[in-house]
Amino acid sequence: MKQVTGLGGSPGHSAPSAYRAAVIGTGFMGRVHTHAVRASGGEVVGVAGSSPARAEEFRAAHGLASAHADPLELIHRPDVDVVHVCTPNHLHAPLSLAALAAGKHVVCEKPLATDAETARGLTRAAHEADRVAVVPFVYRFHPMAREARARVASGAVGRIGLAHGGYLQDWLLHPEEDNWRVDPKIGGPTRAFGDIGSHWCDMLEFVTGDRINAVSAQTSRFNEHRGEAGRAVTTEDLVALQFSTEGGAVGTAVISQVSPGRKNQLVLEVSGTEGSLRFDQERPETLWAGGRDHTTIISRDDPGLGPDAARMVTLPVGHPQGYQDCFNALVADTGAAVAGGEPEGLPVFADGLRAAVLAEAVLESARERRWVDLPRTDP
């Protein structure tokens, strides 16, 4: 179980009276983080963007007090408690390190870093600074994902022997569709796996409490060139992954950003000696559970819901909870950790390091066409 002990809220640091956030980045994720901070009772005191014009446009659109041309200026403001890094990937590490050095707590979008060694250094820096340092693996915050985790931990599905599923999107299907994530200088050497495969693997390990210990992967591209200029592409469109776990399970996952009609389908199914569970992020209100003699659909108004799942339920059934609600819950738990608590399941920099190590193993396996063992990443 992931905790935040040693990352914040220690007796050596006084908890702030409010959650005062700086948001760096003015794209989609900047908007999501800004909404989540406000929904959780916090304040976004300022924003920084890739240009003064973009920062000012974001400030005006969201009614913020200030816009900054220089993110370091924003980070060092005395009225900032938590820095939210929502920039392209290559800026995650330097901005997070600057925030930690300034004594701030950090919520850094994934990937934590574009290589494992840098992610390891960030994890160490967060520990040494004794700051809360979070990576938004937000699908953990669906109530039914928490319920799946609780049922596995209780032994309800028995010993898990198989896990499978995938994460499918279609937003980069056509060659004219381009994005900074495609450029390895900005997005890093892995795209589909680093961007969404990391979410699937985090969900697997979070729900099962087990760790992937070896991978065999293939990567592929639908499009060798992208954009109006026909720029050559080196990052992958899709990944087919086999894996084994420390607990003795085997499994497969398919990761794709080029599957027509699939918008954001993260599916995880685990099968044990006593039963199976299936979670689908596009249908997050329910959890499928199966056994030899019955199958059932568990809803988030089930009176037998576990306490951690129940605390994530913020709306009556019939009023769907979704992606933004997950972010709101993550920021609320981040605030609880800043105040000295240890909220269950908060994803921290160590989880971001785990994702970086997995990504490098996947690329190595695909490049060398062999199984690759994963090193332990526990503190």
Side-chain angles (χ1 to χ4, degrees):
M1 303 294 182
K2 298 292 191 300
Q3 301 291 338
V4 293
T5 303
L7 291 179
S10 71
H13 295 285
S14 59
S17 58
Y19 191 107
R20 301 172 300 178
V23 171
I24 305 175
T26 59
F28 171 70
M29 295 315 307
R31 297 194 299 273
V32 169
H33 282 246
T34 295
H35 182 96
V37 169
R38 287 171 158 174
S40 302
E43 175 191 5
V44 178
V45 299
V47 63
S50 59
S51 70
R54 288 189 176 182
E56 175 54 30
E57 182 182 2
F58 189 95
R59 183 208 67 75
H62 295 277
L64 306 182
S66 65
H68 293 257
D70 182 356
L72 295 180
E73 178 184 78
L74 176 58
I75 286 170
H76 285 91
R77 280 180 52 163
D79 58 347
V80 167
D81 307 308
V82 187
V83 175
H84 287 245
V85 180
C86 310
T87 64
N89 300 347
H90 69 306
L91 297 175
H92 290 180
L95 290 172
S96 294
L97 283 172
L100 291 169
K104 313 298 184 179
H105 306 285
V106 182
V107 179
C108 178
E109 267 301 325
K110 54 97 199 108
L112 177 58
T114 57
D115 67 276
E117 190 54 38
T118 301
R120 189 170 285 107
L122 282 161
T123 305
R124 184 166 52 248
H127 176 75
E128 292 172 353
D130 197 25
R131 300 285 78 187
V132 175
V134 170
V135 177
F137 287 115
V138 293
Y139 300 120
R140 294 183 178 196
F141 288 83
H142 282 299
M144 303 319 291
R146 296 288 173 126
E147 182 64 12
R149 184 182 192 227
R151 289 176 181 243
V152 170
S154 73
V157 302
R159 176 176 53 83
I160 293 175
L162 175 66
H164 60 95
Y167 198 153
L168 307 178
Q169 298 176 333
D170 70 357
W171 69 286
L172 286 171
L173 175 62
H174 300 129
E176 64 270 19
E177 292 167 328
D178 204 1
N179 184 266
W180 58 260
R181 291 172 178 83
V182 177
D183 185 348
K185 294 180 182 178
I186 300 174
T190 171
R191 178 179 18 108
F193 186 84
D195 190 25
I196 60 176
S198 56
H199 273 298
W200 191 89
C201 291
D202 180 77
M203 181 69 84
L204 167 73
E205 295 190 342
F206 181 70
V207 166
T208 65
D210 199 3
R211 289 287 183 100
I212 295 171
N213 65 0
V215 296
S216 174
Q218 296 182 75
T219 61
S220 182
R221 284 185 291 274
F222 272 18
N223 300 298
E224 296 293 339
H225 298 84
R226 285 192 179 275
E228 294 181 1
R231 177 165 54 91
V233 175
T234 60
T235 54
E236 78 281 358
D237 286 328
L238 50 88
V239 179
L241 176 69
Q242 292 185 80
F243 59 87
S244 62
T245 73
E246 293 175 354
V250 298
T252 61
V254 176
I255 310 301
S256 171
Q257 294 178 317
V258 291
S259 293
R262 295 300 187 188
K263 303 306 176 185
N264 203 50
Q265 187 193 58
L266 186 160
V267 172
L268 171 66
E269 183 166 328
V270 297
S271 297
T273 53
E274 303 298 327
S276 299
L277 296 169
R278 180 182 177 90
F279 174 78
D280 182 346
Q281 196 278 145
E282 287 190 337
R283 294 174 174 81
E285 299 287 278
T286 59
L287 179 69
W288 178 88
R292 277 294 297 275
D293 56 356
H294 73 286
T295 61
T296 188
I297 302 295
I298 305 160
S299 173
R300 62 180 173 86
D301 65 349
D302 190 304
L305 217 62
D308 196 42
R311 83 179 179 93
M312 295 295 166
V313 176
T314 57
L315 294 170
V317 168
H319 302 272
Q321 286 186 219
Y323 179 76
Q324 184 65 62
D325 297 287
C326 289
F327 259 96
N328 299 351
L330 176 133
V331 171
D333 275 7
T334 300
V338 167
E342 294 188 351
E344 178 71 16
L346 183 65
V348 295
F349 273 21
D351 300 297
L353 168 59
R354 176 71 184 164
V357 169
L358 271 163
E360 289 191 347
V362 165
L363 290 184
E364 181 181 348
S365 173
R367 182 174 60 249
E368 300 184 7
R369 301 183 67 84
R370 66 178 179 88
W371 280 88
V372 172
D373 294 330
L374 269 79
R376 295 286 304 193
T377 57
D378 293 339

